[in-house]
Amino acid sequence: MAASDPHKAADPEAVKRHPALFRAIRKRRNPRLRRTDITVTDDQAVKRAVKAASLGNAMEWFDFGIYSYLAVTIGHVFFPSGNDTTQLLSSFATFAVAFLVRPLGGMFFGPMGDKIGRKKVLALTMILMAIGTFAIGLIPSHGTIGLWAPALLILFRMLQGFSTGGEYGGASTFIAEYAPDKRRGFFGSFLEFGTLAGYVGAAGLVTALYALLDTGQMESWGWRIPFLVAGPLGLVGLYLRLRLDETPAFQKLEGGTAHASEAADGVESTAKGDLAKIFREYWPTLILCIALVGAYNITDYMLLSYMPTHLSDELGYSETHGLLILLAVMVFLMLIISQVGKLSDRFGRKPLLMTGMLGFLFLSLPSFLLIRQDGIPAITIGMLLLGLSLVCMLGTMSAALPALFPTNVRYGSLSVGYNLSASLFGGTTPLVITALISWTGSNLMPAYYAMAAALVGVIAVACMKETANQPLAGSPPSVETAEEAAELVQAQSPDPKF
């Protein structure tokens, strides 16, 4: 491989004899940015993109979240066995099935998003998720059609998982490519604001149903209502996404209206979407992505999906109590998540991510010891400690992950890495924790599992590069104003010599 510096590649004596020639070579290899190379973002377009991606994400995770919050009831409806633990394990196994097909969805939708565009694929994932969720609400119970009931449930859960495989990678890529470099953390945090909003909507609706209906009504027809709401919500999300323009970075790959030249070193000029290329050329970064996402997802699903079931099934609280506490914690996280995004722009992605990982490493055990205490205040404090650790990752990860990969393979690489990790570690979290508690008899197993995940996360964060306030790999710089663009160009001009 040729050295990047021509002075190192050539004989030092030759450099001294022909300084002008070697300056010309250096400029050719690292040309200065021109004003037309720099993307000046449209503030209104950025806000529309963030709103559509975040609202769409909220609807996706509303669809996905209602299953986990109804896990106990769904276990009774679809897996009647007479044993509560067996029913719960069967229900969580079906929850995990959706994650087994997520890598397939990532491998299908990700490269497609690098070929035909982010916008079209995000609209398609929205349609499939709404269909899958709506269909679950129509499935007859096990008492009506026997084994066909759990079989159909698994089929539509797989459709949900397949569509979700293209959602996070696409939505985070969409926002990252629209946002200016200095505010990517702030705008990216709204994607996870949408995730929390989806979970809050799901938890709020399920809590209301548990409060208004008795057990017989919930198992007869009440559980269907949240799934049937998904149809109209999916149409709203689809409308919002179809109104958007393609991202400037992807338009540049397609030779569209976003202008860039050879000046931005490493800027790509063709969209290939080659899955084999992702595994062949970017496998070290994929491994880093999988480690980061694994640590993040285990802690995320442990708190946001599994915890209500832990409070009701393991500690004996009613379903309503567990969901109300989680609702309060999630609303609090929604209020502060954009500030975490701002902090990641100011101090960097690594400090915020490391804070979250270390929080889970050192606070998980104290938090679960508090949660085991009898009383709502102790449980709330324990869950808040976990929530504050999680929000450091929630508010930062959606800006950090897209920056790992260059533009021409970003959607595909992130979708593959994110969903492989989510499949192996995220979706299996409730199942693994329930099984570990069953085998060991210890209600502290969720804490130990989260601590192990956080330790992997600490190592992964230590290995990643800082990307805050820098252009995305394979894209030219992106700024908010023409004045900033002029300053960037001016900064590269040599000082005058007198």
Side-chain angles (χ1 to χ4, degrees):
M1 184 179 292
S4 60
D5 188 345
H7 292 78
K8 294 179 181 177
D11 180 0
E13 293 300 320
V15 174
K16 290 180 181 178
R17 288 196 301 271
H18 306 286
L21 174 62
F22 282 93
R23 276 199 301 273
I25 294 172
R26 189 167 62 251
K27 286 181 181 179
R28 176 66 177 168
R29 293 189 178 187
N30 298 289
R32 293 194 185 98
L33 285 167
R34 295 195 299 266
R35 168 60 188 83
T36 52
D37 298 330
I38 300 168
T39 301
V40 178
T41 60
D42 178 342
D43 187 57
Q44 292 304 312
V46 173
K47 289 178 179 177
R48 282 197 304 272
V50 170
K51 186 185 298 182
S54 301
L55 284 175
N57 202 51
M59 290 164 193
E60 287 263 356
W61 291 106
F62 171 86
D63 294 356
F64 219 73
I66 51 180
Y67 185 93
S68 58
Y69 298 139
L70 287 166
V72 175
T73 300
I74 287 172
H76 294 157
V77 173
F78 289 95
F79 306 100
S81 68
N83 183 295
D84 288 344
T85 302
T86 302
Q87 287 179 336
L88 191 60
L89 282 170
S90 299
S91 183
F92 277 141
T94 309
F95 179 80
V97 159
F99 285 81
L100 296 179
V101 297
R102 276 182 66 165
L104 299 179
M107 292 178 191
F108 178 79
F109 291 116
M112 183 190 294
D114 287 325
K115 287 179 181 177
I116 69 172
R118 286 66 164 119
K119 168 186 166 180
K120 295 174 185 175
V121 175
L122 283 172
L124 181 57
T125 62
M126 176 63 68
I127 294 169
L128 292 178
M129 174 59 88
I131 291 172
T133 309
F134 188 77
I136 289 175
L138 299 176
I139 301 173
S141 68
H142 186 281
T144 305
I145 60 172
L147 291 176
W148 280 106
L152 287 171
L153 178 64
I154 290 169
L155 174 66
F156 292 123
R157 282 292 294 164
M158 290 174 72
L159 180 60
Q160 280 187 317
F162 189 73
S163 72
T164 307
E167 173 63 24
Y168 184 89
S172 58
T173 292
F174 200 85
I175 292 178
E177 291 182 350
Y178 255 107
D181 296 333
K182 291 184 179 180
R183 300 185 72 197
R184 188 168 293 117
F186 172 70
F187 286 118
S189 68
F190 283 94
L191 184 66
E192 296 296 357
F193 178 92
T195 300
L196 289 171
Y199 275 125
V200 165
L205 181 53
V206 172
T207 301
L209 289 171
Y210 275 130
L212 295 171
L213 305 177
D214 59 34
T215 302
Q217 291 172 319
M218 277 298 293
E219 293 184 7
S220 175
W221 54 268
W223 68 270
R224 299 182 186 276
I225 293 173
F227 291 98
L228 296 177
V229 168
L233 285 180
L235 293 176
V236 173
L238 180 63
Y239 170 75
L240 289 170
R241 288 187 170 180
L242 288 176
R243 290 181 63 226
L244 291 172
D245 293 326
E246 192 50 82
T247 69
F250 186 80
Q251 287 184 45
K252 188 263 164 183
L253 290 186
E254 294 286 281
T257 57
H259 300 291
S261 74
E262 73 280 358
D265 186 35
V267 171
E268 307 291 347
S269 58
T270 57
K272 296 180 180 178
D274 185 352
L275 191 60
K277 178 182 178 181
I278 291 170
F279 284 103
R280 185 174 62 249
E281 297 183 17
Y282 299 98
W283 63 266
T285 315
L286 271 179
I287 292 173
L288 177 62
C289 178
I290 288 169
L292 284 168
V293 173
Y296 159 59
N297 265 345
I298 286 173
T299 52
D300 188 326
Y301 286 105
M302 185 268 289
L303 181 61
L304 301 185
S305 292
Y306 169 75
M307 191 57 75
T309 303
H310 180 76
L311 292 173
S312 60
D313 203 61
E314 304 295 340
L315 301 183
Y317 289 89
S318 71
E319 285 90 349
T320 306
H321 269 111
L323 283 170
L324 281 173
I325 296 169
L326 182 62
L327 264 172
V329 171
M330 289 194 295
V331 169
F332 174 70
L333 299 186
M334 289 173 67
L335 293 174
I336 65 173
I337 193 167
S338 63
Q339 299 305 312
V340 174
K342 285 183 179 179
L343 288 175
S344 79
D345 285 327
R346 183 176 178 183
F347 298 108
R349 317 292 185 227
K350 292 183 66 169
L352 270 294
L353 290 175
M354 189 64 80
T355 300
M357 298 295 181
L358 291 174
F360 273 104
L361 186 60
F362 293 112
L363 296 178
S364 289
L365 194 55
S367 297
F368 270 88
L369 288 171
L370 279 169
I371 289 167
R372 288 179 65 183
Q373 302 301 309
D374 188 20
I376 301 300
I379 295 173
T380 304
I381 293 169
M383 290 178 67
L384 268 177
L385 289 175
L386 296 174
L388 288 171
S389 300
L390 180 63
V391 80
C392 291
M393 294 186 273
L394 281 174
T396 309
M397 200 68 81
S398 50
L401 292 176
L404 294 175
F405 302 100
T407 303
N408 67 326
V409 293
R410 181 171 298 122
Y411 195 155
S413 300
L414 183 51
S415 294
V416 169
Y418 188 92
N419 289 294
L420 277 173
S421 189
S423 174
L424 292 170
F425 306 112
T428 59
T429 296
L431 178 65
V432 170
I433 291 175
T434 303
L436 287 173
I437 292 173
S438 179
W439 293 337
T440 64
S442 171
N443 286 329
L444 292 176
M445 290 312 298
Y448 298 135
Y449 196 52
M451 289 166 68
L455 184 59
V456 173
V458 167
I459 297 169
V461 173
C463 293
M464 69 179 282
K465 294 179 181 178
E466 183 56 72
T467 56
N469 299 306
Q470 298 175 19
L472 291 169
S475 292
S478 178
V479 298
E480 290 187 272
T481 64
E483 289 75 18
E484 283 185 72
E487 287 174 11
L488 269 180
V489 174
Q490 184 63 34
Q492 293 190 111
S493 300
D495 295 330
K497 296 180 180 179
F498 297 101

